[in-house]
Every structure is written in structure tokens, then in C-alpha cells.
């Protein structure tokens, strides 16, 4: 656009003042400013102009850069969103307690989507149900822990499709949940929570009032946030599984220690019993063998001597067996004494 005077193009007041400040004494410059057309519409223009010394006339070129400014603004918003997601992701990854993490995820999600209502549900593949693991807002708080069949509600569609679903008019949604508590919901958005290719749950936000349109940028932000939340929730689940495994291992080690101590106590009681019983048995055996030896020395009757010999041999055999039991008990108790003798 070529122009020669200020009447060829209309400026906003602030832009006109900026222009006059920058162009002094015919100085040539280039900058971007917001212009207004005669039909009252506005556009961003890149201006290269010369102002006359008296400030009454301007000559130069204006190029419409509205599209470029839109792209720059979009890029700036994306960078801001990525920066915020990076900070949020670091905060979520640092949280390993599931309940605290779920609260953070819902707080971030509902805040970014400009609502107070949200929920996180997990899938129970064993029962073919999904259940509300955590909820925020007066509508959904009462449904924490409630189990819902896969095919019912927006969540079922999110889990089945594995991608975002939006219901703009929830009141007239054919697959809505039958609870009357949901009658005040106008619009609902659900995004899947997945690890690799497996959808293990979904995050949903809800709006009251009239059905509404949600900006694409806000929805894309929610998708990216759900990706970060999925990783954080998976990490928290792995951490809790590891903690449970460690606790189970410690419990088993403690049980094994107790069982070992109990077995050791039982073995000591057995050894003590054998030692006591062996001593008790050996005393009458010594008497028996001693008396039989004395009778053998005095008895002349061959039949009687034979019977006494049998008694003496049996007594010696029992005495040797008792001595062996005593030695075994000493070995178990660690009290065996080794003697060094000439062989």
C-alpha cells in the first residue's frame, strides 16, 4: 500500500503518536503497528515511511502482516503452553503418592479448561467396568468409587476409541449416564490416559450452563497434558507396586526369621530332652549291666549263665546307643570336644 498523506490511511491514536515520535526530522524507519481501515476494520501493518519535517505529510509503504502476526501469536501461545506443560510435568513426575497426584492432575486440568468439574477413571479389564478413581467439583464428588459398565457414558467411548471425545450438548446425549445429578451438565470433554498402546483410564472435564464451544488450542493443550499425566500416573503405580513388593519381601523375610528361630528353639528343646532322657536311661542301664556281670561271676548253672549273658549284652548295646545319642546332641549343641590321641 502506497500513501502520501496521513489521510490515505487511518491510525489508532496510540499508533499515530508512536509514529510521530519515531519519525523526527524526516528520519526513515521500519516498524509494525495496528492500522484501521475506513470501514472500521483493523489490521497489522509493517510500515516503512518518511515524515516531512513539518509533520503534515507522510510518504511510504504499508504491508499487511496480519497473518504473520497471527502465526507469531499462535507460536508464542504454543511456546507458553509447552513451557507451562514442562513445569507441570516436572511437578507431576515428582509426586509418587497416587492420591496426591490425582488431586494435582485434576486441579491442573480443570484450571486450564476453565471449569471446576472433573474426574479421573480407571479401567478394570477383569470385570469389564471402569470406576471413578478421583473426582472434583460438587457434581462428581459423590461418584468417587462408582463402577460403570464399559459401554455406558462418554468414558466408554473414550476408552473404546482411544482418543478425545467431546459432547457439546450433554443433556441430549443419547449414551449419557442415567443419574439425574448429571442433568446440570451442558458440555463434557474426555481424553484417554494410556501407557504405550494400552488405555488404562481417562480424564474428563464438565461444564454447567449452556452448551459451549471449546477452542482447539485449549483441547490440544488438554491432550498434551493427558500424555504427561499418563506418564506420571504410570510412574506412581510402578512406585507403589515396588513399595508393595518391598513390603511383602520384608514380611516374608520376617516370617522366615521367625520360622528359623522357632525351628532352632524346637531343635534345642529336642537336644535338651534327648540329653536328659539319655542320662536318665543310662543310670539304670549301668546298674543292670553291673549286676548282671556280678551274677555271671558267681553263677555256675549253664542255663542261668546264658540268660545273664544275654541280659548283659543287651544292656551294653543300649548303653552304647545312649552314648551315641548323647554325642549327637553335643554335636548339634556345638559342645563336642575333639581329643588328639596317638593312632
Amino acid at each position: 500500500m502506497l500513501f502520501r498523506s496521513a489521510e490515505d490511511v487511518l491510525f489508532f491514536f496510540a499508533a499515530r503518536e508512536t509514529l510521530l515520535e519515531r519519525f523526527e526530522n524526516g528520519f526513515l524507519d521500519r516498524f509494525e503497528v495496528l492500522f484501521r481501515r475506513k470501514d472500521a476494520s483493523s489490521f497489522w501493518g509493517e510500515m516503512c515511511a518518511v515524515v516531512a519535517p513539518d509533520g503534515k505529510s507522510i510518504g511510504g509503504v504499508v504491508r499487511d502482516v496480519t497473518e504473520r502476526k497471527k502465526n507469531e501469536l499462535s507460536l508464542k501461545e504454543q511456546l507458553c503452553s509447552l513451557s507451562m506443560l514442562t513445569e507441570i510435568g516436572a511437578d507431576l513426575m515428582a509426586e509418587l503418592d497416587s492420591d496426591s497426584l490425582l488431586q494435582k492432575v485434576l486441579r491442573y486440568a480443570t484450571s486450564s479448561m476453565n471449569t471446576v468439574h472433573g474426574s479421573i477413571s480407571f479401567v478394570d479389564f477383569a470385570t469389564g467396568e471402569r470406576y471413578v478413581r478421583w473426582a472434583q467439583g460438587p457434581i462428581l464428588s459423590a461418584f468417587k468409587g462408582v463402577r460403570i459398565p464399559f459401554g455406558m457414558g462418554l468414558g466408554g467411548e473414550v476408552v473404546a476409541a482411544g482418543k478425545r471425545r467431546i459432547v457439546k450438548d450433554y443433556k441430549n446425549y443419547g449414551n449419557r449416564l442415567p443419574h439425574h445429578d448429571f442433568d446440570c451438565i451442558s458440555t463434557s470433554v474426555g481424553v484417554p490416559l494410556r501407557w504405550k498402546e494400552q488405555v488404562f483410564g481417562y480424564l474428563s472435564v464438565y461444564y454447567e450452563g449452556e452448551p459451549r464451544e471449546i477452542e482447539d488450542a485449549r483441547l490440544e493443550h488438554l491432550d498434551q497434558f493427558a500424555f504427561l499425566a499418563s506418564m506420571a500416573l504410570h510412574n506412581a503405580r510402578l512406585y507403589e507396586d515396588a513399595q508393595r513388593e518391598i513390603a511383602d519381601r520384608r514380611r516374608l523375610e520376617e516370617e522366615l526369621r521367625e520360622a528359623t528361630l522357632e525351628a532352632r528353639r524346637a531343635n534345642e528343646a529336642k537336644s535338651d530332652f534327648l540329653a536328659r532322657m539319655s542320662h536318665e536311661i543310662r543310670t539304670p542301664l549301668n546298674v543292670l549291666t553291673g549286676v548282671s556281670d556280678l551274677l555271671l561271676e558267681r553263677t555256675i548253672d549253664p542255663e542261668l549263665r546264658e540268660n545273664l549273658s544275654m541280659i548283659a549284652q543287651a544292656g551294653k548295646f543300649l548303653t552304647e546307643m545312649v552314648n551315641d545319642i548323647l554325642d549327637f546332641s553335643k554335636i548339634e549343641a556345638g559342645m563336642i570336644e575333639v581329643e588328639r590321641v596317638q593312632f
Side-chain angles (χ1 to χ4, degrees):
M1 178 190 297
L2 297 174
F3 60 92
R4 293 183 300 277
S5 68
E7 295 179 355
D8 291 336
V9 64
L10 299 177
F11 301 95
F12 289 102
F13 178 78
R16 180 183 295 129
E17 294 300 315
T18 301
L19 179 67
L20 294 176
E21 288 178 5
R22 293 174 68 97
F23 289 104
E24 295 180 357
N25 300 321
F27 182 75
L28 179 65
D29 199 357
R30 181 193 300 270
F31 69 101
E32 295 173 358
V33 69
L34 192 62
F35 292 93
R36 186 178 63 200
R37 299 185 181 93
K38 291 183 178 180
D39 62 359
S41 63
S42 60
F43 69 96
W44 278 95
E46 182 185 71
M47 183 174 185
C48 180
V50 177
V51 180
D54 58 6
K56 293 183 179 180
S57 61
I58 304 173
V61 178
V62 173
R63 185 162 61 94
D64 190 341
V65 293
T66 303
E67 192 64 29
R68 191 186 75 192
K69 293 293 287 186
K70 287 182 179 179
N71 293 335
E72 289 176 354
L73 181 61
S74 176
L75 179 61
K76 185 178 180 180
E77 290 177 348
Q78 290 179 11
L79 292 175
C80 181
S81 176
L82 288 174
S83 176
M84 183 173 64
L85 285 172
T86 301
E87 293 180 5
I88 292 174
D91 186 26
L92 295 181
M93 293 298 179
E95 183 60 69
L96 295 175
D97 179 71
S98 290
D99 289 346
S100 299
L101 178 59
L102 290 167
Q103 293 181 53
K104 281 187 177 182
V105 169
L106 276 183
R107 187 167 63 249
Y108 281 130
T110 53
S111 176
S112 65
M113 296 300 288
N114 195 26
T115 182
V116 297
H117 306 291
S119 67
I120 295 176
S121 299
F122 289 155
V123 177
D124 187 347
F125 293 101
T127 61
E129 296 174 317
R130 50 195 172 88
Y131 60 95
V132 181
R133 179 64 178 80
W134 204 268
Q136 177 179 300
I139 299 176
L140 301 166
S141 296
F143 288 87
K144 191 185 302 183
V146 172
R147 290 183 169 267
I148 305 169
F150 271 160
M152 293 182 61
L154 175 64
E157 295 183 9
V158 173
V159 172
K163 58 183 179 181
R164 183 208 318 148
R165 283 285 187 266
I166 305 174
V167 176
K168 295 181 180 178
D169 186 4
Y170 193 84
K171 292 183 177 67
N172 297 315
Y173 175 45
N175 196 30
R176 58 163 288 178
L177 298 177
H179 304 284
H180 293 295
D181 294 333
F182 294 113
D183 291 345
C184 59
I185 294 177
S186 60
T187 302
S188 178
V189 182
V191 290
L193 300 171
R194 70 172 78 238
W195 177 249
K196 296 182 178 180
E197 299 301 321
Q198 180 69 55
V199 176
F200 63 85
Y202 65 94
L203 166 66
S204 53
V205 294
Y206 306 87
Y207 297 89
E208 295 182 84
E210 295 298 321
R212 65 180 66 193
E213 294 286 340
I214 303 174
E215 302 89 339
D216 291 339
R218 199 178 291 270
L219 293 172
E220 291 175 4
H221 178 86
L222 184 62
D223 288 336
Q224 295 168 346
F225 174 76
F227 174 74
L228 294 176
S230 298
M231 290 194 296
L233 289 168
H234 180 72
N235 288 341
R237 182 176 294 180
L238 289 178
Y239 174 78
E240 291 187 345
D241 290 344
Q243 291 297 104
R244 279 194 294 270
E245 184 177 348
I246 292 172
D248 290 342
R249 185 174 300 176
R250 287 176 178 171
R251 178 178 54 80
L252 290 174
E253 289 176 354
E254 186 63 27
E255 290 177 356
L256 180 60
R257 258 195 308 272
E258 289 294 329
T260 303
L261 289 174
E262 188 65 27
R264 187 175 298 169
R265 285 192 290 265
N267 190 53
E268 291 174 354
K270 179 200 71 174
S271 299
D272 183 64
F273 171 77
L274 289 175
R276 288 178 181 275
M277 289 302 297
S278 298
H279 281 292
E280 296 294 333
I281 294 173
R282 189 165 55 175
T283 300
L285 281 177
N286 289 333
V287 173
L288 181 63
T289 55
V291 172
S292 62
D293 288 339
L294 289 174
L295 290 174
L296 280 172
E297 293 177 358
R298 298 178 181 180
T299 303
I300 302 174
D301 185 14
E303 184 178 356
L304 183 58
R305 287 183 64 84
E306 183 179 357
N307 292 334
L308 290 172
S309 297
M310 292 175 59
I311 293 173
Q313 290 176 359
K316 291 177 181 178
F317 175 77
L318 287 174
T319 301
E320 291 176 358
M321 185 173 65
V322 168
N323 289 334
D324 291 340
I325 292 174
L326 282 174
D327 291 340
F328 180 74
S329 300
K330 289 180 179 179
I331 291 173
E332 284 189 334
M335 299 173 61
I336 190 72
E337 295 180 1
V338 179
E339 294 182 1
R340 183 175 296 179
V341 297
Q342 188 70 28
F343 182 71

